Amino acid sequence: LRPSNSPSTTPSTTPSNSPSTSPSVTPTSSPSVSPSLSAVPSTAPTSTPSSLPSLLPSASPTSVPSSFPTSQPTLMPSLTPTLPLQSFDIEMFFQFDDLRLLNEKEEYHWGNVTERRIKSELENAGGGVLEQLVVEMEIMKQEQEPLRRLEGRLLQVKRPMNLTSISYVSFRTPQTITDNQITTFVGEAFNNPSDRNAYLDELQSRLPGETDGVHETFSTINSLWVDVNGVRQDAPESVSSPLANETRGVNMAFIIGPIAGGLCALLLTGCFVLRRRKASGSEGSESPSGDQRVSSVIEVE
């Protein structure tokens, strides 16, 4: 059977095997076995969604989100809220009373010790609320003061070394930390003699994992001071250094030895002169008692 060129007003009870070239005005009571293909979708979609989703998602998302969010939220919220990241670039100036310029390994040793010192102080100042705390030191410049001479004679035995650096500090915390506060917190690692003494002891000690004697470079330091963002952390004071104290003890022995010897010589000379004067006075006067001490002095003379 073949369809007619002009469709009938009412559909036949038995549909044809292939569709007609011109569709009927009203649809048939029975749908076709396979759907027809269309290049564009229908202009008016259905008012209710289909019971089954489409096999493939749409090529582009919808312009507006769904009207209702999910009815089943997550069982557990996040353990910690997301805290804002705060970062600071802190200018730090160190002056050591006697230290040569540092090489690469010595710079690493200095940076490691200084980073740990500042990080420990920040952890104490933050009361445990600083998360993801990072401290990194970068040396910007090293300068060593030259030896001064006058008529060929040295006027300066020690050679101070100035070290300019930047400390990069970052952390997350619910509190907002100002520049003045971070300057105070970092400065507290160096703002009294005991803090600087502890810092110097760490510089002069071997770090875990170090196999060479790079820490011995810092054994010549006896005192230091630190500026944090241009703020001087207390006045420079001498700090105890076991290695430096040992060197000073040897030097003092060479100085005190001759002085003590000279004082002993002067004392013996004074005693000898005093005894001679007493002996001369005894010879010019009668001594009926015959003092044995005068006699013994004359015998020695």
Side-chain angles (χ1 to χ4, degrees):
L1 298 176
R2 302 181 66 183
S4 61
N5 294 328
S6 299
S8 59
T9 306
T10 59
S12 59
T13 57
T14 302
S16 58
N17 293 330
S18 58
S20 60
T21 56
S22 300
S24 59
V25 178
T26 58
T28 60
S29 57
S30 300
S32 58
V33 178
S34 58
S36 59
L37 300 178
S38 174
V40 294
S42 59
T43 56
T46 59
S47 59
T48 58
S50 60
S51 58
L52 297 176
S54 59
L55 297 179
L56 296 176
S58 59
S60 59
T62 58
S63 58
V64 293
S66 59
S67 301
F68 300 99
T70 177
S71 59
Q72 296 180 349
T74 56
L75 298 179
M76 293 292 293
S78 59
L79 298 178
T80 57
T82 303
L83 301 176
L85 179 65
Q86 302 183 52
S87 58
F88 302 88
D89 297 346
I90 305 168
E91 296 181 1
M92 301 189 67
F93 173 80
F94 295 78
Q95 185 173 64
F96 304 97
D97 72 323
D98 190 11
L99 181 66
R100 63 172 176 79
L101 299 181
L102 306 179
N103 58 31
E104 185 176 355
K105 288 186 177 181
E106 294 160 350
E107 287 182 357
Y108 176 81
H109 177 90
W110 172 87
N112 198 344
V113 171
T114 308
E115 289 169 5
R116 295 196 309 174
R117 182 74 184 169
I118 296 175
K119 188 173 183 180
S120 176
E121 187 62 37
L122 289 176
E123 290 174 344
N124 294 333
V129 298
L130 300 182
E131 298 183 2
Q132 301 178 14
L133 175 60
V134 177
V135 178
E136 295 181 353
M137 300 299 300
E138 180 180 359
I139 295 178
M140 308 304 294
K141 182 172 59 175
Q142 298 184 59
E143 293 179 327
Q144 190 169 39
E145 297 184 8
L147 292 175
R148 295 192 296 269
R149 295 176 178 271
L150 179 62
E151 297 180 356
R153 303 178 63 181
L154 288 176
L155 297 179
Q156 184 179 0
V157 177
K158 298 181 179 181
R159 298 190 66 182
M161 197 270 275
N162 302 329
L163 189 151
T164 304
S165 64
I166 293 181
S167 177
Y168 301 101
V169 178
S170 64
F171 49 81
R172 295 183 183 272
T173 178
Q175 304 172 355
T176 300
I177 306 299
T178 64
D179 291 339
N180 291 335
Q181 287 176 320
I182 198 67
T183 298
T184 301
F185 293 158
V186 173
E188 287 179 352
F190 312 96
N191 67 351
N192 60 63
S194 60
D195 289 334
R196 293 193 293 272
N197 183 38
Y199 173 63
L200 183 55
D201 288 342
E202 293 174 2
L203 281 177
Q204 296 177 344
S205 301
R206 187 189 303 272
L207 293 178
E210 286 185 348
T211 57
D212 51 10
V214 63
H215 62 284
E216 297 177 356
T217 303
F218 303 89
S219 62
T220 57
I221 303 173
N222 296 308
S223 63
L224 72 150
W225 66 75
V226 183
D227 292 353
V228 180
N229 280 340
V231 179
R232 174 61 51 84
Q233 304 304 307
D234 203 350
E237 296 185 29
S238 180
V239 294
S240 61
S241 166
L243 295 177
N245 289 340
E246 181 180 351
T247 303
R248 287 199 300 269
V250 175
N251 294 336
M252 290 301 294
F254 284 105
I255 296 173
I256 295 175
I259 295 176
L263 290 176
C264 290
L266 290 175
L267 183 60
L268 291 176
T269 303
C271 292
F272 182 73
V273 171
L274 181 60
R275 288 187 176 183
R276 291 194 62 181
R277 288 182 177 179
K278 288 183 178 181
S280 299
S282 298
E283 290 177 355
S285 61
E286 295 181 357
S287 178
S289 61
D291 193 343
Q292 184 65 29
R293 288 180 299 173
V294 176
S295 176
S296 62
V297 172
I298 297 174
E299 290 177 359
V300 172
E301 189 179 47

